[in-house]
Amino acid sequence: MAEKNFFKRLIKKLRVRFRLVIMNDSTFEEKFSLRLSRLNVFVVSALISIFLITLTVFLIAFTSLREYIPGYGSEKEREIVYDLLLKSDSIESDLNAIDVYFKNFFTTIADDDSSLLVSNYLAFSGNKSTEISENKNAAGLYFLKPINGNILNPFNLNSKHFGIDIIAEKGSVVNSIADGIVLFSDWTLSGGNTLIILHPGKVISVYMHNFSVFVKQGESVKTGDPIAIIGNSGENSSGTHLHFELWINSLPVNPENYISF
């Protein structure tokens, strides 16, 4: 009962009418008058608020004013972002393809009768095919250190670490360990900027995680030629270093057994 009386009193108050009068201050002549109630004022204020909110939403949604909202961005910026997304997808596909090629490459050279290895070797050595079979242990070959530095992680077949990790000062130059021909010079997901060089005697040297490389696939290099800058590229790198591998007769060997570091 009390609540019912409260609502009756509230409605009665809302319906009480007031007169808004505008008068001439000098003559007290009535210029304008308007009869209002609290309910009228509330309804009109609500309608005006709804109209303003609707107008604001419309302007933001269908005009260029939305570009001024922090974080929204302009139409041109969204086009740039969309293009970058397409390019990043394309780059990712290319990197995956290169990574597959890189893995297939080592699968190929693991075969002693690899036609790819023999054909590249013949192109470099001038058809001296006898050296492939006669120099099985790379006896008598001289290998230069690829870089001056300290060995961080040694060669370990059990953990499938087929090379050694050498740390050196940032910006240090990586050199070719011997005369050879570049079989691979590109980016891989795991190894970053990677170089693979074929040397006489069925010897292959691998240089990974470089900051940049100086030679391209198919180029010939001489012993001591600068071929790259040490870096930290690739998913398998956690700091500036050179991952160096040495393959002889299609098998990975410990570089420390052939090179004095």
Side-chain angles (χ1 to χ4, degrees):
M1 188 68 179
E3 290 184 1
K4 191 174 182 181
N5 291 333
F6 170 77
F7 283 113
K8 283 184 177 181
R9 289 195 301 271
L10 179 61
I11 293 173
K12 187 176 181 180
K13 284 183 179 181
L14 290 175
R15 289 180 175 177
V16 173
R17 293 184 177 275
F18 299 88
R19 182 183 293 273
L20 175 65
V21 179
I22 299 177
M23 303 177 64
N24 188 310
D25 188 54
S26 300
T27 63
F28 297 103
E29 180 184 358
E30 185 177 313
K31 296 294 185 181
F32 176 80
S33 66
L34 181 65
R35 296 182 65 187
L36 297 170
S37 67
R38 291 185 179 93
L39 184 60
N40 296 141
V41 174
F42 176 77
V43 171
V44 172
S45 299
L47 291 175
I48 292 174
S49 299
I50 293 172
F51 172 76
L52 291 176
I53 292 172
T54 304
L55 180 63
T56 302
V57 171
F58 177 83
L59 291 175
I60 292 175
F62 299 102
T63 68
S64 59
L65 289 176
R66 63 181 180 272
E67 297 178 4
Y68 294 96
I69 299 176
Y72 186 84
S74 64
E75 190 72 26
K76 185 176 181 180
E77 288 175 341
R78 290 198 299 276
E79 290 178 359
I80 293 174
V81 171
Y82 180 73
D83 289 340
L84 289 175
L85 286 174
L86 291 179
K87 290 179 180 179
S88 64
D89 288 341
S90 177
I91 291 172
E92 185 177 3
S93 299
D94 291 342
L95 289 177
N96 287 330
I98 292 174
D99 211 40
V100 170
Y101 169 80
F102 185 68
K103 292 176 181 177
N104 290 339
F105 174 82
F106 274 102
T107 302
T108 303
I109 66 173
D111 181 5
D112 286 340
D113 297 325
S114 167
S115 59
L116 172 65
L117 183 63
V118 173
S119 62
N120 279 286
Y121 179 83
L122 293 178
F124 166 69
S125 61
N127 292 326
K128 297 177 182 178
S129 57
T130 54
E131 294 186 22
I132 295 179
S133 58
E134 292 175 357
N135 200 7
K136 291 183 178 179
N137 297 317
L141 288 182
Y142 169 74
F143 297 129
L144 186 72
K145 281 196 300 186
I147 195 170
N148 290 321
N150 299 316
I151 297 176
L152 179 64
N153 293 317
F155 177 86
N156 191 330
L157 278 178
N158 294 328
S159 62
K160 295 184 179 180
H161 190 248
F162 299 137
I164 58 175
D165 293 334
I166 307 171
I167 56 174
E169 292 184 4
K170 186 177 181 180
S172 297
V173 176
V174 180
N175 303 302
S176 175
I177 63 170
D179 295 355
I181 184 171
V182 180
L183 293 184
F184 183 89
S185 176
D186 214 323
W187 175 278
T188 68
L189 289 177
S190 57
N193 286 315
T194 300
L195 284 174
I196 302 175
I197 299 178
L198 174 67
H199 309 283
K202 205 175 181 182
V203 177
I204 289 178
S205 58
V206 182
Y207 314 77
M208 295 184 183
H209 309 308
N210 300 293
F211 174 76
S212 61
V213 295
F214 303 148
V215 292
K216 298 179 180 179
Q217 183 174 339
E219 289 187 14
S220 297
V221 294
K222 297 294 184 181
T223 303
D225 279 355
I227 55 176
I229 295 291
I230 193 172
N232 183 31
S233 60
E235 293 181 351
N236 290 350
S237 179
S238 58
T240 300
H241 74 286
L242 171 68
H243 176 81
F244 174 73
E245 297 181 8
L246 191 63
W247 292 62
I248 299 177
N249 293 316
S250 304
L251 295 173
V253 297
N254 187 353
E256 293 185 77
N257 294 337
Y258 296 86
I259 303 173
S260 177
F261 288 93

